[in-house]
């Protein structure tokens, strides 16, 4: 079973998140620049002419498609690396994925999101050496 993680994180946490993911063997990902708001509905900022409200704040969205058996470790890793403890640390959404097809080879499903030296080889898990 394949899953997709869509992690909304602080811009300044990208380097830490990428490094933590690299350490556990997560390789394939997308990063999008987005704007959004959570339950505080943005933030109040103070400028020369008083305070004003910024409703949509810049964030980064990190998308990763992976095997379900790697979901928990990956979510835990993102949480540890992305967390400051302050509001605005982000959210992690998880979705089911129907299929993945590697264009060059026609590999499908989890074979299409496996890489040499990835999380499964590191764990010696079901896809390990
Ligand atoms: N319900 C939602 N659906 C889609 N995206 C959301 C949703 N809620 C928040 N987001 C995205 O997540 C970003 C960060 O949200 P944020 O960390 O402020 O979550 P929160 O629920 O308000 O938690 P906290 O109280 O810790 O701030 C938002 O800027 C937005 O991009
Ligand atoms: Mg918030």
């Amino acid at each position: 079973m394949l899953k997709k993680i869509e992690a909304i994180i602080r811009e300044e946490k990208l380097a830490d998140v990428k490094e933590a993911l690299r350490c556990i063997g997560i390789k394939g990902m997308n990063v999008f620049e987005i704007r959004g708001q959570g339950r505080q509905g943005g933030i109040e900022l103070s400028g020369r002419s008083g305070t004003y409200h910024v409703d949509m704040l810049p964030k980064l969205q990190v998308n990763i498609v992976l095997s379900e058996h790697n979901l928990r470790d990956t979510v835990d890793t993102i949480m540890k690396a992305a967390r400051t403890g302050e509001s605005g640390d982000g959210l992690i959404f998880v979705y089911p994925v129907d299929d993945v097809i590697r264009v060059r080879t026609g590999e499908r499903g989890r074979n299409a999101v496996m890489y040499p030296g990835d999380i499964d080889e590191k764990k010696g898990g079901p896809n390990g050496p």
Side-chain angles (χ1 to χ4, degrees), residues 45-68:
L45 289 179
S46 39
R48 261 178 285 173
S49 51
T51 64
Y52 59 100
H53 188 76
V54 181
D55 64 344
M56 300 298 262
L57 294 167
K59 297 278 175 189
L60 294 177
Q61 179 182 312
V62 181
N63 288 356
I64 303 165
V65 173
L66 74 181
S67 294
E68 186 169 18

mmCIF file with all atom_site columns, all heavy atoms in Angstrom, residues 45-68:
data_model
loop_
_atom_site.group_PDB
_atom_site.id
_atom_site.type_symbol
_atom_site.label_atom_id
_atom_site.label_alt_id
_atom_site.label_comp_id
_atom_site.label_asym_id
_atom_site.label_entity_id
_atom_site.label_seq_id
_atom_site.pdbx_PDB_ins_code
_atom_site.Cartn_x
_atom_site.Cartn_y
_atom_site.Cartn_z
_atom_site.occupancy
_atom_site.B_iso_or_equiv
_atom_site.pdbx_formal_charge
_atom_site.auth_seq_id
_atom_site.auth_comp_id
_atom_site.auth_asym_id
_atom_site.auth_atom_id
_atom_site.pdbx_PDB_model_num
ATOM 1   N N   . LEU A 1 45 ? 0.841  41.793 12.684 1.00 0.00 ? 45 LEU A N   1
ATOM 2   C CA  . LEU A 1 45 ? 2.192  42.355 12.628 1.00 0.00 ? 45 LEU A CA  1
ATOM 3   C C   . LEU A 1 45 ? 2.102  43.830 12.940 1.00 0.00 ? 45 LEU A C   1
ATOM 4   O O   . LEU A 1 45 ? 1.087  44.476 12.644 1.00 0.00 ? 45 LEU A O   1
ATOM 5   C CB  . LEU A 1 45 ? 2.792  42.172 11.226 1.00 0.00 ? 45 LEU A CB  1
ATOM 6   C CG  . LEU A 1 45 ? 3.173  40.755 10.814 1.00 0.00 ? 45 LEU A CG  1
ATOM 7   C CD1 . LEU A 1 45 ? 3.730  40.756 9.396  1.00 0.00 ? 45 LEU A CD1 1
ATOM 8   C CD2 . LEU A 1 45 ? 4.203  40.160 11.776 1.00 0.00 ? 45 LEU A CD2 1
ATOM 9   N N   . SER A 1 46 ? 3.163  44.397 13.570 1.00 0.00 ? 46 SER A N   1
ATOM 10  C CA  . SER A 1 46 ? 3.123  45.843 13.796 1.00 0.00 ? 46 SER A CA  1
ATOM 11  C C   . SER A 1 46 ? 4.087  46.548 12.854 1.00 0.00 ? 46 SER A C   1
ATOM 12  O O   . SER A 1 46 ? 5.250  46.145 12.710 1.00 0.00 ? 46 SER A O   1
ATOM 13  C CB  . SER A 1 46 ? 3.428  46.171 15.256 1.00 0.00 ? 46 SER A CB  1
ATOM 14  O OG  . SER A 1 46 ? 4.429  45.344 15.731 1.00 0.00 ? 46 SER A OG  1
ATOM 15  N N   . GLY A 1 47 ? 3.574  47.578 12.192 1.00 0.00 ? 47 GLY A N   1
ATOM 16  C CA  . GLY A 1 47 ? 4.392  48.379 11.280 1.00 0.00 ? 47 GLY A CA  1
ATOM 17  C C   . GLY A 1 47 ? 4.338  49.832 11.700 1.00 0.00 ? 47 GLY A C   1
ATOM 18  O O   . GLY A 1 47 ? 3.851  50.151 12.787 1.00 0.00 ? 47 GLY A O   1
ATOM 19  N N   . ARG A 1 48 ? 4.817  50.744 10.836 1.00 0.00 ? 48 ARG A N   1
ATOM 20  C CA  . ARG A 1 48 ? 4.863  52.170 11.176 1.00 0.00 ? 48 ARG A CA  1
ATOM 21  C C   . ARG A 1 48 ? 3.468  52.751 11.400 1.00 0.00 ? 48 ARG A C   1
ATOM 22  O O   . ARG A 1 48 ? 3.272  53.615 12.221 1.00 0.00 ? 48 ARG A O   1
ATOM 23  C CB  . ARG A 1 48 ? 5.590  52.946 10.067 1.00 0.00 ? 48 ARG A CB  1
ATOM 24  C CG  . ARG A 1 48 ? 7.033  53.222 10.442 1.00 0.00 ? 48 ARG A CG  1
ATOM 25  C CD  . ARG A 1 48 ? 7.745  53.924 9.333  1.00 0.00 ? 48 ARG A CD  1
ATOM 26  N NE  . ARG A 1 48 ? 8.050  52.996 8.230  1.00 0.00 ? 48 ARG A NE  1
ATOM 27  C CZ  . ARG A 1 48 ? 8.555  53.353 7.074  1.00 0.00 ? 48 ARG A CZ  1
ATOM 28  N NH1 . ARG A 1 48 ? 8.780  54.619 6.811  1.00 0.00 ? 48 ARG A NH1 1
ATOM 29  N NH2 . ARG A 1 48 ? 8.819  52.463 6.145  1.00 0.00 ? 48 ARG A NH2 1
ATOM 30  N N   . SER A 1 49 ? 2.515  52.255 10.634 1.00 0.00 ? 49 SER A N   1
ATOM 31  C CA  . SER A 1 49 ? 1.163  52.827 10.751 1.00 0.00 ? 49 SER A CA  1
ATOM 32  C C   . SER A 1 49 ? 0.264  51.974 11.649 1.00 0.00 ? 49 SER A C   1
ATOM 33  O O   . SER A 1 49 ? -0.944 51.942 11.460 1.00 0.00 ? 49 SER A O   1
ATOM 34  C CB  . SER A 1 49 ? 0.559  52.967 9.358  1.00 0.00 ? 49 SER A CB  1
ATOM 35  O OG  . SER A 1 49 ? 0.679  51.737 8.667  1.00 0.00 ? 49 SER A OG  1
ATOM 36  N N   . GLY A 1 50 ? 0.865  51.270 12.608 1.00 0.00 ? 50 GLY A N   1
ATOM 37  C CA  . GLY A 1 50 ? 0.066  50.467 13.534 1.00 0.00 ? 50 GLY A CA  1
ATOM 38  C C   . GLY A 1 50 ? 0.133  48.988 13.202 1.00 0.00 ? 50 GLY A C   1
ATOM 39  O O   . GLY A 1 50 ? 1.025  48.558 12.480 1.00 0.00 ? 50 GLY A O   1
ATOM 40  N N   . THR A 1 51 ? -0.827 48.253 13.745 1.00 0.00 ? 51 THR A N   1
ATOM 41  C CA  . THR A 1 51 ? -0.788 46.813 13.503 1.00 0.00 ? 51 THR A CA  1
ATOM 42  C C   . THR A 1 51 ? -1.676 46.454 12.314 1.00 0.00 ? 51 THR A C   1
ATOM 43  O O   . THR A 1 51 ? -2.647 47.156 12.031 1.00 0.00 ? 51 THR A O   1
ATOM 44  C CB  . THR A 1 51 ? -1.271 46.018 14.741 1.00 0.00 ? 51 THR A CB  1
ATOM 45  O OG1 . THR A 1 51 ? -2.626 46.335 14.973 1.00 0.00 ? 51 THR A OG1 1
ATOM 46  C CG2 . THR A 1 51 ? -0.433 46.326 15.966 1.00 0.00 ? 51 THR A CG2 1
ATOM 47  N N   . TYR A 1 52 ? -1.296 45.407 11.634 1.00 0.00 ? 52 TYR A N   1
ATOM 48  C CA  . TYR A 1 52 ? -2.123 44.922 10.533 1.00 0.00 ? 52 TYR A CA  1
ATOM 49  C C   . TYR A 1 52 ? -2.104 43.403 10.534 1.00 0.00 ? 52 TYR A C   1
ATOM 50  O O   . TYR A 1 52 ? -1.225 42.774 11.144 1.00 0.00 ? 52 TYR A O   1
ATOM 51  C CB  . TYR A 1 52 ? -1.656 45.495 9.185  1.00 0.00 ? 52 TYR A CB  1
ATOM 52  C CG  . TYR A 1 52 ? -0.225 45.175 8.816  1.00 0.00 ? 52 TYR A CG  1
ATOM 53  C CD1 . TYR A 1 52 ? 0.068  44.160 7.921  1.00 0.00 ? 52 TYR A CD1 1
ATOM 54  C CD2 . TYR A 1 52 ? 0.845  45.897 9.375  1.00 0.00 ? 52 TYR A CD2 1
ATOM 55  C CE1 . TYR A 1 52 ? 1.369  43.863 7.583  1.00 0.00 ? 52 TYR A CE1 1
ATOM 56  C CE2 . TYR A 1 52 ? 2.160  45.604 9.045  1.00 0.00 ? 52 TYR A CE2 1
ATOM 57  C CZ  . TYR A 1 52 ? 2.413  44.586 8.149  1.00 0.00 ? 52 TYR A CZ  1
ATOM 58  O OH  . TYR A 1 52 ? 3.704  44.280 7.821  1.00 0.00 ? 52 TYR A OH  1
ATOM 59  N N   . HIS A 1 53 ? -3.098 42.857 9.848  1.00 0.00 ? 53 HIS A N   1
ATOM 60  C CA  . HIS A 1 53 ? -3.292 41.406 9.879  1.00 0.00 ? 53 HIS A CA  1
ATOM 61  C C   . HIS A 1 53 ? -2.779 40.783 8.581  1.00 0.00 ? 53 HIS A C   1
ATOM 62  O O   . HIS A 1 53 ? -3.100 41.257 7.500  1.00 0.00 ? 53 HIS A O   1
ATOM 63  C CB  . HIS A 1 53 ? -4.786 41.110 10.051 1.00 0.00 ? 53 HIS A CB  1
ATOM 64  C CG  . HIS A 1 53 ? -5.070 39.665 10.286 1.00 0.00 ? 53 HIS A CG  1
ATOM 65  N ND1 . HIS A 1 53 ? -4.847 39.044 11.502 1.00 0.00 ? 53 HIS A ND1 1
ATOM 66  C CD2 . HIS A 1 53 ? -5.535 38.705 9.455  1.00 0.00 ? 53 HIS A CD2 1
ATOM 67  C CE1 . HIS A 1 53 ? -5.172 37.769 11.401 1.00 0.00 ? 53 HIS A CE1 1
ATOM 68  N NE2 . HIS A 1 53 ? -5.585 37.532 10.178 1.00 0.00 ? 53 HIS A NE2 1
ATOM 69  N N   . VAL A 1 54 ? -1.959 39.741 8.708  1.00 0.00 ? 54 VAL A N   1
ATOM 70  C CA  . VAL A 1 54 ? -1.542 38.974 7.523  1.00 0.00 ? 54 VAL A CA  1
ATOM 71  C C   . VAL A 1 54 ? -2.272 37.639 7.598  1.00 0.00 ? 54 VAL A C   1
ATOM 72  O O   . VAL A 1 54 ? -2.045 36.858 8.518  1.00 0.00 ? 54 VAL A O   1
ATOM 73  C CB  . VAL A 1 54 ? -0.017 38.748 7.499  1.00 0.00 ? 54 VAL A CB  1
ATOM 74  C CG1 . VAL A 1 54 ? 0.394  37.985 6.245  1.00 0.00 ? 54 VAL A CG1 1
ATOM 75  C CG2 . VAL A 1 54 ? 0.729  40.066 7.581  1.00 0.00 ? 54 VAL A CG2 1
ATOM 76  N N   . ASP A 1 55 ? -3.178 37.401 6.655  1.00 0.00 ? 55 ASP A N   1
ATOM 77  C CA  . ASP A 1 55 ? -4.009 36.192 6.786  1.00 0.00 ? 55 ASP A CA  1
ATOM 78  C C   . ASP A 1 55 ? -3.355 34.954 6.171  1.00 0.00 ? 55 ASP A C   1
ATOM 79  O O   . ASP A 1 55 ? -3.488 33.862 6.709  1.00 0.00 ? 55 ASP A O   1
ATOM 80  C CB  . ASP A 1 55 ? -5.433 36.411 6.244  1.00 0.00 ? 55 ASP A CB  1
ATOM 81  C CG  . ASP A 1 55 ? -5.472 36.701 4.752  1.00 0.00 ? 55 ASP A CG  1
ATOM 82  O OD1 . ASP A 1 55 ? -4.427 37.042 4.175  1.00 0.00 ? 55 ASP A OD1 1
ATOM 83  O OD2 . ASP A 1 55 ? -6.563 36.585 4.167  1.00 0.00 ? 55 ASP A OD2 1
ATOM 84  N N   . MET A 1 56 ? -2.627 35.131 5.045  1.00 0.00 ? 56 MET A N   1
ATOM 85  C CA  . MET A 1 56 ? -2.031 33.961 4.398  1.00 0.00 ? 56 MET A CA  1
ATOM 86  C C   . MET A 1 56 ? -0.513 34.022 4.535  1.00 0.00 ? 56 MET A C   1
ATOM 87  O O   . MET A 1 56 ? 0.135  34.889 3.940  1.00 0.00 ? 56 MET A O   1
ATOM 88  C CB  . MET A 1 56 ? -2.420 33.913 2.914  1.00 0.00 ? 56 MET A CB  1
ATOM 89  C CG  . MET A 1 56 ? -3.923 33.838 2.680  1.00 0.00 ? 56 MET A CG  1
ATOM 90  S SD  . MET A 1 56 ? -4.656 32.358 3.381  1.00 0.00 ? 56 MET A SD  1
ATOM 91  C CE  . MET A 1 56 ? -4.713 31.340 1.937  1.00 0.00 ? 56 MET A CE  1
ATOM 92  N N   . LEU A 1 57 ? 0.018  33.088 5.311  1.00 0.00 ? 57 LEU A N   1
ATOM 93  C CA  . LEU A 1 57 ? 1.456  33.116 5.603  1.00 0.00 ? 57 LEU A CA  1
ATOM 94  C C   . LEU A 1 57 ? 2.225  32.162 4.692  1.00 0.00 ? 57 LEU A C   1
ATOM 95  O O   . LEU A 1 57 ? 1.722  31.085 4.352  1.00 0.00 ? 57 LEU A O   1
ATOM 96  C CB  . LEU A 1 57 ? 1.680  32.679 7.053  1.00 0.00 ? 57 LEU A CB  1
ATOM 97  C CG  . LEU A 1 57 ? 1.104  33.638 8.084  1.00 0.00 ? 57 LEU A CG  1
ATOM 98  C CD1 . LEU A 1 57 ? 1.078  32.981 9.452  1.00 0.00 ? 57 LEU A CD1 1
ATOM 99  C CD2 . LEU A 1 57 ? 1.926  34.921 8.119  1.00 0.00 ? 57 LEU A CD2 1
ATOM 100 N N   . PRO A 1 58 ? 3.438  32.553 4.308  1.00 0.00 ? 58 PRO A N   1
ATOM 101 C CA  . PRO A 1 58 ? 4.229  31.643 3.470  1.00 0.00 ? 58 PRO A CA  1
ATOM 102 C C   . PRO A 1 58 ? 4.670  30.412 4.253  1.00 0.00 ? 58 PRO A C   1
ATOM 103 O O   . PRO A 1 58 ? 5.098  30.512 5.408  1.00 0.00 ? 58 PRO A O   1
ATOM 104 C CB  . PRO A 1 58 ? 5.437  32.492 3.053  1.00 0.00 ? 58 PRO A CB  1
ATOM 105 C CG  . PRO A 1 58 ? 5.512  33.596 4.040  1.00 0.00 ? 58 PRO A CG  1
ATOM 106 C CD  . PRO A 1 58 ? 4.125  33.818 4.586  1.00 0.00 ? 58 PRO A CD  1
ATOM 107 N N   . LYS A 1 59 ? 4.501  29.269 3.632  1.00 0.00 ? 59 LYS A N   1
ATOM 108 C CA  . LYS A 1 59 ? 4.931  27.985 4.216  1.00 0.00 ? 59 LYS A CA  1
ATOM 109 C C   . LYS A 1 59 ? 5.519  27.156 3.093  1.00 0.00 ? 59 LYS A C   1
ATOM 110 O O   . LYS A 1 59 ? 5.389  27.499 1.909  1.00 0.00 ? 59 LYS A O   1
ATOM 111 C CB  . LYS A 1 59 ? 3.732  27.228 4.807  1.00 0.00 ? 59 LYS A CB  1
ATOM 112 C CG  . LYS A 1 59 ? 3.027  27.921 5.953  1.00 0.00 ? 59 LYS A CG  1
ATOM 113 C CD  . LYS A 1 59 ? 3.738  27.695 7.266  1.00 0.00 ? 59 LYS A CD  1
ATOM 114 C CE  . LYS A 1 59 ? 3.062  28.503 8.369  1.00 0.00 ? 59 LYS A CE  1
ATOM 115 N NZ  . LYS A 1 59 ? 3.832  28.474 9.611  1.00 0.00 ? 59 LYS A NZ  1
ATOM 116 N N   . LEU A 1 60 ? 6.109  26.040 3.439  1.00 0.00 ? 60 LEU A N   1
ATOM 117 C CA  . LEU A 1 60 ? 6.550  25.081 2.433  1.00 0.00 ? 60 LEU A CA  1
ATOM 118 C C   . LEU A 1 60 ? 5.749  23.797 2.590  1.00 0.00 ? 60 LEU A C   1
ATOM 119 O O   . LEU A 1 60 ? 5.398  23.403 3.709  1.00 0.00 ? 60 LEU A O   1
ATOM 120 C CB  . LEU A 1 60 ? 8.043  24.782 2.586  1.00 0.00 ? 60 LEU A CB  1
ATOM 121 C CG  . LEU A 1 60 ? 8.971  25.962 2.300  1.00 0.00 ? 60 LEU A CG  1
ATOM 122 C CD1 . LEU A 1 60 ? 10.415 25.556 2.546  1.00 0.00 ? 60 LEU A CD1 1
ATOM 123 C CD2 . LEU A 1 60 ? 8.793  26.494 0.890  1.00 0.00 ? 60 LEU A CD2 1
ATOM 124 N N   . GLN A 1 61 ? 5.459  23.175 1.457  1.00 0.00 ? 61 GLN A N   1
ATOM 125 C CA  . GLN A 1 61 ? 4.766  21.893 1.460  1.00 0.00 ? 61 GLN A CA  1
ATOM 126 C C   . GLN A 1 61 ? 5.728  20.847 0.905  1.00 0.00 ? 61 GLN A C   1
ATOM 127 O O   . GLN A 1 61 ? 6.218  20.977 -0.221 1.00 0.00 ? 61 GLN A O   1
ATOM 128 C CB  . GLN A 1 61 ? 3.522  21.980 0.585  1.00 0.00 ? 61 GLN A CB  1
ATOM 129 C CG  . GLN A 1 61 ? 2.736  20.692 0.499  1.00 0.00 ? 61 GLN A CG  1
ATOM 130 C CD  . GLN A 1 61 ? 1.548  20.841 -0.429 1.00 0.00 ? 61 GLN A CD  1
ATOM 131 O OE1 . GLN A 1 61 ? 0.797  21.801 -0.338 1.00 0.00 ? 61 GLN A OE1 1
ATOM 132 N NE2 . GLN A 1 61 ? 1.394  19.906 -1.330 1.00 0.00 ? 61 GLN A NE2 1
ATOM 133 N N   . VAL A 1 62 ? 6.003  19.831 1.718  1.00 0.00 ? 62 VAL A N   1
ATOM 134 C CA  . VAL A 1 62 ? 6.896  18.742 1.301  1.00 0.00 ? 62 VAL A CA  1
ATOM 135 C C   . VAL A 1 62 ? 6.034  17.517 1.023  1.00 0.00 ? 62 VAL A C   1
ATOM 136 O O   . VAL A 1 62 ? 5.317  17.056 1.913  1.00 0.00 ? 62 VAL A O   1
ATOM 137 C CB  . VAL A 1 62 ? 7.929  18.431 2.413  1.00 0.00 ? 62 VAL A CB  1
ATOM 138 C CG1 . VAL A 1 62 ? 8.870  17.316 1.961  1.00 0.00 ? 62 VAL A CG1 1
ATOM 139 C CG2 . VAL A 1 62 ? 8.713  19.676 2.799  1.00 0.00 ? 62 VAL A CG2 1
ATOM 140 N N   . ASN A 1 63 ? 6.081  17.030 -0.207 1.00 0.00 ? 63 ASN A N   1
ATOM 141 C CA  . ASN A 1 63 ? 5.281  15.856 -0.592 1.00 0.00 ? 63 ASN A CA  1
ATOM 142 C C   . ASN A 1 63 ? 6.191  14.647 -0.756 1.00 0.00 ? 63 ASN A C   1
ATOM 143 O O   . ASN A 1 63 ? 7.213  14.730 -1.450 1.00 0.00 ? 63 ASN A O   1
ATOM 144 C CB  . ASN A 1 63 ? 4.574  16.095 -1.917 1.00 0.00 ? 63 ASN A CB  1
ATOM 145 C CG  . ASN A 1 63 ? 3.429  17.080 -1.810 1.00 0.00 ? 63 ASN A CG  1
ATOM 146 O OD1 . ASN A 1 63 ? 3.102  17.538 -0.716 1.00 0.00 ? 63 ASN A OD1 1
ATOM 147 N ND2 . ASN A 1 63 ? 2.841  17.407 -2.930 1.00 0.00 ? 63 ASN A ND2 1
ATOM 148 N N   . ILE A 1 64 ? 5.789  13.548 -0.150 1.00 0.00 ? 64 ILE A N   1
ATOM 149 C CA  . ILE A 1 64 ? 6.567  12.310 -0.255 1.00 0.00 ? 64 ILE A CA  1
ATOM 150 C C   . ILE A 1 64 ? 5.592  11.152 -0.480 1.00 0.00 ? 64 ILE A C   1
ATOM 151 O O   . ILE A 1 64 ? 4.647  10.983 0.294  1.00 0.00 ? 64 ILE A O   1
ATOM 152 C CB  . ILE A 1 64 ? 7.352  12.025 1.048  1.00 0.00 ? 64 ILE A CB  1
ATOM 153 C CG1 . ILE A 1 64 ? 8.270  13.194 1.394  1.00 0.00 ? 64 ILE A CG1 1
ATOM 154 C CG2 . ILE A 1 64 ? 8.137  10.716 0.933  1.00 0.00 ? 64 ILE A CG2 1
ATOM 155 C CD1 . ILE A 1 64 ? 8.788  13.151 2.825  1.00 0.00 ? 64 ILE A CD1 1
ATOM 156 N N   . VAL A 1 65 ? 5.826  10.369 -1.528 1.00 0.00 ? 65 VAL A N   1
ATOM 157 C CA  . VAL A 1 65 ? 5.053  9.132  -1.739 1.00 0.00 ? 65 VAL A CA  1
ATOM 158 C C   . VAL A 1 65 ? 5.938  7.976  -1.297 1.00 0.00 ? 65 VAL A C   1
ATOM 159 O O   . VAL A 1 65 ? 7.116  7.898  -1.687 1.00 0.00 ? 65 VAL A O   1
ATOM 160 C CB  . VAL A 1 65 ? 4.612  8.995  -3.210 1.00 0.00 ? 65 VAL A CB  1
ATOM 161 C CG1 . VAL A 1 65 ? 3.970  7.635  -3.459 1.00 0.00 ? 65 VAL A CG1 1
ATOM 162 C CG2 . VAL A 1 65 ? 3.639  10.116 -3.562 1.00 0.00 ? 65 VAL A CG2 1
ATOM 163 N N   . LEU A 1 66 ? 5.395  7.113  -0.460 1.00 0.00 ? 66 LEU A N   1
ATOM 164 C CA  . LEU A 1 66 ? 6.223  6.069  0.141  1.00 0.00 ? 66 LEU A CA  1
ATOM 165 C C   . LEU A 1 66 ? 5.378  4.847  0.483  1.00 0.00 ? 66 LEU A C   1
ATOM 166 O O   . LEU A 1 66 ? 4.149  4.911  0.461  1.00 0.00 ? 66 LEU A O   1
ATOM 167 C CB  . LEU A 1 66 ? 6.929  6.620  1.387  1.00 0.00 ? 66 LEU A CB  1
ATOM 168 C CG  . LEU A 1 66 ? 6.129  6.859  2.675  1.00 0.00 ? 66 LEU A CG  1
ATOM 169 C CD1 . LEU A 1 66 ? 7.041  7.420  3.744  1.00 0.00 ? 66 LEU A CD1 1
ATOM 170 C CD2 . LEU A 1 66 ? 4.949  7.743  2.517  1.00 0.00 ? 66 LEU A CD2 1
ATOM 171 N N   . SER A 1 67 ? 6.062  3.735  0.801  1.00 0.00 ? 67 SER A N   1
ATOM 172 C CA  . SER A 1 67 ? 5.351  2.534  1.228  1.00 0.00 ? 67 SER A CA  1
ATOM 173 C C   . SER A 1 67 ? 4.773  2.764  2.621  1.00 0.00 ? 67 SER A C   1
ATOM 174 O O   . SER A 1 67 ? 5.391  3.410  3.467  1.00 0.00 ? 67 SER A O   1
ATOM 175 C CB  . SER A 1 67 ? 6.306  1.346  1.288  1.00 0.00 ? 67 SER A CB  1
ATOM 176 O OG  . SER A 1 67 ? 6.761  1.027  -0.007 1.00 0.00 ? 67 SER A OG  1
ATOM 177 N N   . GLU A 1 68 ? 3.602  2.184  2.842  1.00 0.00 ? 68 GLU A N   1
ATOM 178 C CA  . GLU A 1 68 ? 2.925  2.400  4.126  1.00 0.00 ? 68 GLU A CA  1
ATOM 179 C C   . GLU A 1 68 ? 3.794  1.975  5.316  1.00 0.00 ? 68 GLU A C   1
ATOM 180 O O   . GLU A 1 68 ? 3.735  2.574  6.382  1.00 0.00 ? 68 GLU A O   1
ATOM 181 C CB  . GLU A 1 68 ? 1.602  1.627  4.133  1.00 0.00 ? 68 GLU A CB  1
ATOM 182 C CG  . GLU A 1 68 ? 0.762  1.909  5.355  1.00 0.00 ? 68 GLU A CG  1
ATOM 183 C CD  . GLU A 1 68 ? -0.644 1.348  5.238  1.00 0.00 ? 68 GLU A CD  1
ATOM 184 O OE1 . GLU A 1 68 ? -0.879 0.474  4.387  1.00 0.00 ? 68 GLU A OE1 1
ATOM 185 O OE2 . GLU A 1 68 ? -1.498 1.792  6.019  1.00 0.00 ? 68 GLU A OE2 1
#
